[in-house]
Amino acid sequence: MNIAFIGLGNMGAPMATNLVKAGHSVTVFDLVESAIQTLEAEGAKRGESAEACVRGAEVIISMLPAGAHVKGLYLGRNGEPGLLDTLDGKPLLIDASTISPDDARTVAAAAAERGISYLDAPVSGGVGGAKAGILTFIVGGDSAAFDKARPVLEAMGKNIFHAGDNGAGQVAKICNNMLLGILMSGTAEALALGVKNGMDPAVLSEIMKQSSGGNWALNVYNPWPGVMEGSAASRDYQGGFLTDLMAKDLGLAWELALGSKSSVPMGSQARNLFALHSAQGNGALDFSSIQTLYRAGDE
Ligand code: NAD
């Protein structure tokens, strides 16, 4: 298939690479030139602009930081036209970014007015999952578009869920990430408590993994440096899933709760912790660096 891929960051780059490896013809674009060059070296074609990148594409995939970027790309900003205004054919749009369900529905409705299908398809699984091609896709949109997208998504992911109509993919993803934020901060808290009381963090981690405290943050994304080889914590929290993106997702959960009159006390606590951590200058570190908030003054 002819696929256009826009947004080659921590997640987008390995996802686009897997599409190339699966034999698709992939044209890429990012605002960062070095990101395009990295993908060219993997066998992708260069798009000089977003408009040039999508020319002739059957499928357009975007993987951008937040809703403002996604709306800017498809709908335009500051009076500039968006991709929806310049498309010649009727490609399938798949946005894999994590954005608000309302933003996803807004883009979906604008696409539908032009007879174009849009899927919100946020992912779970982190950079490791993106590299290994085993992401979970959580898709919102109509069934025909979902069926068309499936083989493309299978080149990048293992579990492909149809969550419901447009926006449902984002609702499910936001619920998942609110839980992840709670689990990561809780895990960091428990590890800091144990270490303050004489435990070796690796020994404590192993015990909790085999006990009722085991969870994804502890088991596969351990936030304590040196406990797990290859973890973000073991490379000074560089790369991975940024604190600012987790703070964004917890903000999305908070907005969703306000809009539906839901009570999310644990999610609010996690949102405040990650917002504080970001305000202290850690926004560009992996989110597991929340561990350092609990270790302040230890060293
Ligand atoms: P990132 O910041 O590493 O990458 C975003 C990329 O988009 C950057 O390369 C940036 O230059 C590019 N970009 C921004 N605006 C653009 C535009 N208008 N045109 C072209 N390129 C543009 O972010 P990421 O970690 O890859 O995350 C992307 C999305 O996936 C976010 O919504 C995030 O919440 C979600 N997500 C991330 C992870 C993770 O572990 N990193 C996991 C699941 C979901």
Side-chain angles (χ1 to χ4, degrees), residues 68 112 131 134 179 230 286 298:
K131 286 184 178 157
I134 56 166
L179 181 57
D286 181 77
D298 274 10

Side-chain angles (χ1 to χ4, degrees), residues 83-84 87 89-93 107-118:
L83 281 188
L84 286 181
L87 286 175
K90 292 201 187 307
L92 171 63
L93 311 184
V107 181
E113 274 174 24
R114 293 158 175 85
I116 293 171
S117 296
Y118 168 96

Side-chain angles (χ1 to χ4, degrees), residues 6-12 29-32 35 63-66 69 73 77 96-99 123-127 173 177 221 240-242 245 248-249:
I6 300 176
L8 307 168
N10 287 319
M11 295 293 287
F29 177 69
D30 194 288
L31 299 177
V32 176
M63 191 51 164
L64 302 175
H69 307 85
L73 177 71
R77 74 175 96 202
S97 327
T98 305
I99 66 175
V123 302
S124 177
V127 175
K173 167 67 185 173
N177 272 29
Y221 215 107
F241 179 45
L242 306 189
L245 290 179
K248 175 204 70 169
D249 290 357

